[in-house]
Amino acid sequence: MPHDTLLLIGRDTSRATPYETHARRLRERGVATDVRVLTYDHEPRRELRDELVAIDADRVFALPMTVAHDHTTVTDVPAALEEVDAETHYCEPVGRSPLLTEALRDRAAAAVPEAADSSVALVAFGSSGKPYQRQVTEYHAERLRERSAFGEVEPCYLLQNPAVECVRYNLTHDHAVAVPLFLAPTDATETQIPAKLDLDRGGLAYTDTLGDHPLVTEAVATAVETARTMADTRTPQTFEATLAATNRPMATDGEGD
């Protein structure tokens, strides 16, 4: 049995993040021999170098703790992982996991009735030039429409249209809630989005991020097992080849967690 290390790699948002909670659950489940959380501010290669060089494992599975890739997780994080002296596999972000649809449904249903007279606004960061986070958001919005009893589900974004500041005018039902499609609290979820939603006016509930929801942990475990299955059924490759094989382009995205 190889010694596998799982790295949960996320941004340091200067706020309490759920990453360690997920890591603890994954350790308890035995998802890998070792599970570690690594966070960076702006420069993953420089900031994570010492921790990555010190890893002693046969294989490393690295998962970016973000809903969809941004420029940093597509370029800088893979470059940082080249410092690891082990067979390294880069996992997909969990943003397109159907498990997250159920987690979003739970967040919404805790704030408004899951009924035909309730509206849900699904709020994401978005991107001014890339379609991929929009694809992730609309994927969950469509699944919520099909699999829940909410009267309507409308996606909106900080950096593209439909804009978050307009969404309250597009919701038509008696009860309304905005659910941020983020894995952890950030300045966007704590300050920018509430301000743009004008929550002080009332009439619109606002939930926590996906945070430490158990289904996020489950989605991470599933992503790791998928990467492990791929690793076990093909000949060893360089890190660059592994990244190309495991990183689907349509999950690549813009700016948010």
Side-chain angles (χ1 to χ4, degrees), residues 8-256:
L8 305 182
I9 302 178
R11 285 189 181 275
D12 180 0
T13 65
S14 299
R15 290 174 168 82
T17 67
Y19 305 147
E20 287 293 352
T21 299
H22 295 304
R24 173 182 54 77
R25 292 172 181 160
L26 294 163
R27 290 186 200 104
E28 292 170 352
R29 290 181 54 165
V31 168
T33 312
D34 186 23
V35 182
R36 305 185 191 182
V37 172
L38 302 183
T39 60
Y40 61 90
D41 188 8
H42 297 295
E43 300 177 46
R45 190 162 198 172
R46 177 181 61 81
E47 296 171 40
L48 302 181
R49 183 181 185 281
D50 291 346
E51 292 171 284
L52 293 171
V53 168
I55 291 173
D56 182 13
D58 299 313
R59 298 188 302 188
V60 169
F61 294 88
L63 189 144
M65 294 298 289
T66 180
V67 167
H69 282 303
D70 59 16
H71 175 76
T72 301
T73 64
V74 169
T75 58
D76 298 340
V77 172
L81 289 170
E82 292 174 2
E83 303 286 352
V84 177
D85 185 18
E87 179 184 329
T88 304
H89 302 273
Y90 201 33
C91 303
E92 281 291 312
V94 298
R96 287 188 65 86
S97 170
L99 294 165
L100 262 62
T101 307
E102 296 308 311
L104 293 165
R105 179 178 179 172
D106 287 349
R107 288 286 188 257
V112 298
E114 187 175 341
D117 62 348
S118 294
S119 299
V120 176
L122 198 57
V123 188
F125 204 105
S127 170
S128 59
K130 299 176 183 178
Y132 305 109
Q133 193 170 77
R134 179 189 288 273
Q135 291 177 349
V136 170
T137 308
E138 291 182 350
Y139 166 77
H140 290 297
E142 184 59 31
R143 283 178 56 84
L144 282 169
R145 294 185 192 109
E146 294 173 351
R147 292 164 172 78
S148 73
F150 296 115
E152 61 186 352
V153 181
E154 298 294 332
C156 60
Y157 308 90
L158 273 174
L159 294 183
Q160 63 190 95
N161 291 322
V164 62
E165 56 263 41
C166 300
V167 73
R168 70 158 54 237
Y169 304 107
N170 299 328
L171 303 178
T172 62
H173 295 297
D174 295 339
H175 307 284
V177 59
V179 182
L181 180 50
F182 290 71
L183 293 188
T186 67
D187 181 65
T189 65
E190 301 294 290
T191 304
Q192 297 177 50
I193 292 173
K196 288 180 178 292
L197 289 173
D198 200 6
L199 293 179
D200 290 342
R201 286 181 53 189
L204 181 63
Y206 184 63
T207 76
D208 292 336
T209 63
L210 291 168
D212 62 0
H213 197 292
L215 288 176
V216 176
T217 308
E218 189 67 31
V220 172
T222 299
V224 174
E225 287 309 310
T226 298
R228 179 176 287 119
T229 298
M230 294 176 67
D232 289 342
T233 56
R234 65 171 180 253
T235 55
Q237 303 181 57
T238 63
F239 171 71
E240 291 81 3
T242 299
L243 174 59
T246 59
N247 184 25
R248 294 177 297 165
M250 82 171 302
T252 306
D253 179 37
E255 318 298 336

